[in-house]
Amino acid sequence: MLGLGTLLLSGCSFADWPRFGWPAAITPQGRAMQEFWSASAIAALAIGVVVWGLMFWAFIVYRKKKGGPVYPKQTKENLPLEIAYTVIPFVMVGVLFFFTVKTENYVLDRSANPDVEVSVTAFKWNWDFSYPGTRDPSTGQEVHTIGTSEEVPILVVPVNKNIEYTLQSKDVIHSFWTIDFLFKRDVFPDPGANQTENKFQNTIEYAGAFVGRCAELCGTYHSQMNFEVRAVPEDVYQAYIATRQTVNPATGLSYTTADALTKVGQEISSCGELCAPLATSTYPFTTNREAKSASEPLAQAGGN
Ligand SMILES: [Cu+2]
């Protein structure tokens, strides 16, 4: 316990400590939760060692001895002991509560001026991602990426930027869960009228494709509400957003998500897999409710 206290006081980072099953974090928010988890597990183990020690000490010292009495000495009441075993757990709960609130406040903290704002609209049964402040020349509205049964929607965001997600639903309650964020938030219809907290922020520190799911049972095709968060370098993100706001000469319409990613991938060759036109972390699931086997990626299922 003394060693643990010294560690806590020295401000040593628990990020490098054993994670005890906690997944690796890709955001500072996820890491804060991991540090709390690691520290809690280590503290619990330290207390466990003390408890096990006391147990085995009692087993050995007070074991039945040859020639001893049939019953050990009968005692009742031990006020100091009773106070100790009431106060100590109370202090432990207090410490856990303090660090829970501290971590939660950090994870839910929002800056007044996020670097990037994205709007997430859930509907039965897919996602509509849009970028406030942008303009799609074909529709005159914000740039949208809307998922379909054939195409998983991709939310393209930059790495190392503070991103604000604003969530709303068009119908029932859904839940926006990007697994690697280690964070999910229910998506309510009409958040204003329902007085639900529908914004959160984070910073993604690693480029990559991260799978997302709907985590609130929302009806028949709930399981098909998969999406992808594509965290890309800043220059790729800027090129992507710029491209989405221009007209694709090949179609006469504004660039779609897939076409824009393809174009940016050609312009910025280092983008590689991060500019793949379609989701790489998941794939569209079969909408056939009669299907007797799980969905498989199209390539594995023998092409389209
Ligand atoms: Cu849903």
Side-chain angles (χ1 to χ4, degrees):
M1 281 307 280
L2 202 69
L4 188 74
T6 317
L7 270 172
L8 282 170
L9 290 174
S10 68
C12 164
S13 168
F14 280 96
D16 305 325
W17 282 64
R19 295 200 306 268
F20 300 100
W22 188 272
I26 61 163
T27 63
Q29 289 80 7
R31 201 164 47 249
M33 291 186 276
Q34 183 250 308
E35 291 180 17
F36 175 45
W37 174 257
S38 293
S40 302
I42 290 164
L45 277 173
I47 289 163
V49 166
V50 173
V51 172
W52 290 322
L54 286 171
M55 281 166 62
F56 282 99
W57 170 76
F59 296 161
I60 292 161
V61 172
Y62 297 104
R63 71 189 185 280
K64 188 168 165 55
K65 296 185 185 91
K66 231 185 193 143
V70 179
Y71 296 109
K73 191 178 126 203
Q74 302 298 298
T75 56
K76 59 167 192 172
E77 286 176 17
N78 185 326
L79 200 57
L81 189 66
E82 284 163 15
I83 289 173
Y85 72 55
T86 305
V87 169
I88 292 172
F90 197 81
V91 170
M92 292 195 289
V93 169
V95 170
L96 285 175
F97 184 77
F98 172 79
F99 284 105
T100 301
V101 172
K102 189 169 175 265
T103 309
E104 208 170 75
N105 285 348
Y106 175 72
V107 170
L108 300 179
D109 188 36
R110 294 208 323 258
S111 125
N113 298 302
D115 299 321
V116 176
E117 288 176 54
V118 295
S119 175
V120 174
T121 303
F123 61 92
K124 291 196 286 188
W125 284 277
N126 225 308
W127 301 90
D128 174 357
F129 302 129
S130 66
Y131 299 85
T134 57
R135 187 178 174 279
D136 178 324
S138 295
T139 62
Q141 295 172 345
E142 288 171 0
V143 167
H144 283 262
T145 294
I146 304 175
T148 67
S149 307
E150 287 76 42
E151 191 170 323
V152 172
I154 301 174
L155 176 61
V156 180
V157 287
V159 290
N160 296 322
K161 294 281 172 188
N162 184 21
I163 306 163
E164 179 166 275
Y165 307 80
T166 302
L167 315 176
Q168 57 273 312
S169 166
K170 278 190 174 152
D171 35 57
V172 299
I173 302 171
H174 301 268
S175 181
F176 183 71
W177 183 31
T178 306
I179 288 105
D180 285 288
F181 288 178
L182 309 176
F183 181 92
K184 63 187 167 196
R185 169 66 57 85
D186 274 7
V187 183
F188 283 79
D190 207 346
N194 286 317
Q195 297 184 343
T196 56
E197 177 58 270
N198 71 324
K199 290 176 192 284
F200 72 92
Q201 297 180 356
N202 69 11
T203 303
I204 305 172
E205 297 177 315
Y206 299 91
F210 305 105
V211 64
R213 314 251 180 235
C214 177
E216 181 67 50
L217 183 59
C218 58
T220 313
Y221 295 102
H222 158 67
S223 63
Q224 317 228 343
M225 286 182 66
N226 45 343
F227 61 92
E228 177 169 301
V229 172
R230 189 79 65 82
V232 297
E234 171 72 2
D235 59 337
V236 171
Y237 173 74
Q238 293 300 345
Y240 170 79
I241 289 295
T243 306
R244 293 289 318 264
Q245 298 181 86
T246 57
V247 171
N248 182 350
T251 61
L253 295 167
S254 47
Y255 277 92
T256 62
T257 305
D259 289 345
L261 283 168
T262 304
K263 183 166 180 283
V264 174
Q266 286 159 358
E267 288 165 3
I268 305 175
S269 56
S270 61
C271 191
E273 185 76 336
L274 287 175
C275 283
L278 299 175
T280 55
S281 63
T282 183
Y283 48 85
F285 296 158
T286 174
T287 51
N288 175 12
R289 306 308 292 172
E290 305 282 296
K292 294 283 187 270
S293 58
S295 295
E296 286 178 47
L298 283 175
Q300 271 173 257
N304 47 10

